[in-house]
Amino acid sequence: TSMVVTLEEEVLFELEGVAHTVIPAGKATSVFNEKLGVLIRSDPSVLMVSKVADEQSAKLLAGAADTTRCYVPLEQPDTLTALRSWIKQVGNPREVGETLGAVVAQRLMRRLCHTCRAPYTPDPGALKKRNLPADQGTELFRSSGKVMVKDKEVLCPDCHGLGYRGRIAIFELMMIDEQAARYISANELDSLRLHLRKQKMLYLQEAALTKVVEGVTDIKEVTRVMAGK
């Protein structure tokens, strides 16, 4: 019952019930925006674009957000930086505040291999530095890549010595409630940041460290991923 459309340079996944529209990479920005305008005028329920070509694209998408749920990618390191970029491209903080539902930043991290992950007791000072629980007896895990077989250390048969198997996603989620929308409309982003923290919003690194505490990944992997933030 919903009309779901996309505007993409390449269709990565064919989804049933989704009308995929392809604009080959290299086409003029004006061509992209012209096709975007056509799709918006068709009044879709959901619209996803693979890029924001320029400020005109941003204005078209923001203008459509009253009636269409739009998914827009921005290559930014975190949610607040993405929000600043979006406001700049749209050129109207009030319009952004009135139409934005959420901003999500994400990273992929490797998952520890559960067959060979090695438990250890970390230094309490190092835990406090990373805002992790520093209770006595706290146990974390780190990658190993090896298991004991008949008192002999051998490569893990499940991860083949990598120490990791599979990946997980971590998310920084900025939900826009009524107060947040007012701060955005007034372009008061410092006040917005304080409000979001009061609402228990986790930054990307904090979300990643919760996975360390849960034993899903290790601090070395978090450091690797966040270094490229």
Side-chain angles (χ1 to χ4, degrees):
T1 59
S2 295
M3 179 179 176
V4 183
V5 300
T6 71
L7 183 58
E8 307 168 80
E9 292 182 325
E10 179 186 1
V11 178
L12 299 178
F13 299 99
E14 288 278 359
L15 297 175
E16 183 179 354
V18 176
H20 296 276
T21 305
V22 177
I23 294 287
K27 287 287 185 179
T29 298
S30 58
V31 175
F32 182 92
N33 288 334
E34 181 180 355
K35 190 60 181 179
L36 177 59
V38 170
L39 290 176
I40 289 173
R41 288 192 292 276
S42 69
D43 196 24
S45 305
V46 180
L47 168 62
M48 189 278 288
V49 297
S50 63
K51 69 175 184 179
V52 179
D54 60 7
E55 292 181 357
Q56 184 182 352
S57 305
K59 290 178 171 62
L60 286 169
L61 290 161
D66 274 338
T67 57
T68 299
R69 179 178 295 177
C70 299
Y71 290 91
V72 181
L74 296 174
E75 293 188 11
Q76 300 294 340
D78 54 57
T79 56
L80 196 62
T81 306
L83 175 59
R84 291 183 191 278
S85 174
W86 184 239
I87 291 173
K88 182 178 179 180
Q89 291 183 75
V90 174
N92 186 341
R94 180 174 295 278
E95 185 173 22
V96 173
E98 291 175 350
T99 58
L100 191 64
V103 185
V104 182
Q106 67 178 41
R107 293 287 185 281
L108 286 175
M109 296 193 306
R110 293 177 297 176
R111 182 192 296 270
L112 283 172
C113 174
H114 275 238
T115 301
C116 65
R117 66 178 186 173
Y120 72 100
T121 301
D123 175 60
L127 292 178
K128 289 181 179 179
K129 185 177 179 180
R130 293 179 170 87
N131 291 323
L132 288 173
D135 299 332
Q136 187 174 5
T138 296
E139 184 179 75
L140 300 180
F141 292 87
R142 57 188 167 203
S143 62
S144 168
K146 297 179 181 180
V147 295
M148 298 298 295
V149 177
K150 296 181 179 180
D151 297 327
K152 183 180 179 181
E153 196 174 61
V154 300
L155 290 182
C156 174
D158 287 338
C159 68
H160 304 289
L162 292 176
Y164 301 93
R165 189 178 183 190
R167 294 192 294 178
I168 58 169
I170 57 167
F171 301 94
E172 179 178 299
L173 176 59
M174 179 191 293
M175 294 297 298
I176 310 301
D177 58 17
E178 291 184 7
Q179 184 59 57
R182 284 194 286 269
Y183 284 134
I184 294 171
S185 296
N187 207 18
E188 297 176 357
L189 300 191
D190 288 338
S191 297
L192 172 66
R193 184 197 296 272
L194 293 174
H195 170 71
L196 293 171
R197 294 298 277 176
K198 288 179 181 178
Q199 301 304 309
K200 309 301 183 184
M201 172 181 158
L202 293 179
Y203 293 144
L204 266 175
Q205 181 163 324
E206 294 170 332
L209 289 173
T210 63
K211 298 301 181 183
V212 173
V213 174
E214 294 168 3
V216 177
T217 192
D218 60 5
I219 290 177
K220 182 175 72 173
E221 177 64 2
V222 171
T223 301
R224 182 189 72 84
V225 171
M226 299 309 296
K229 181 176 175 181

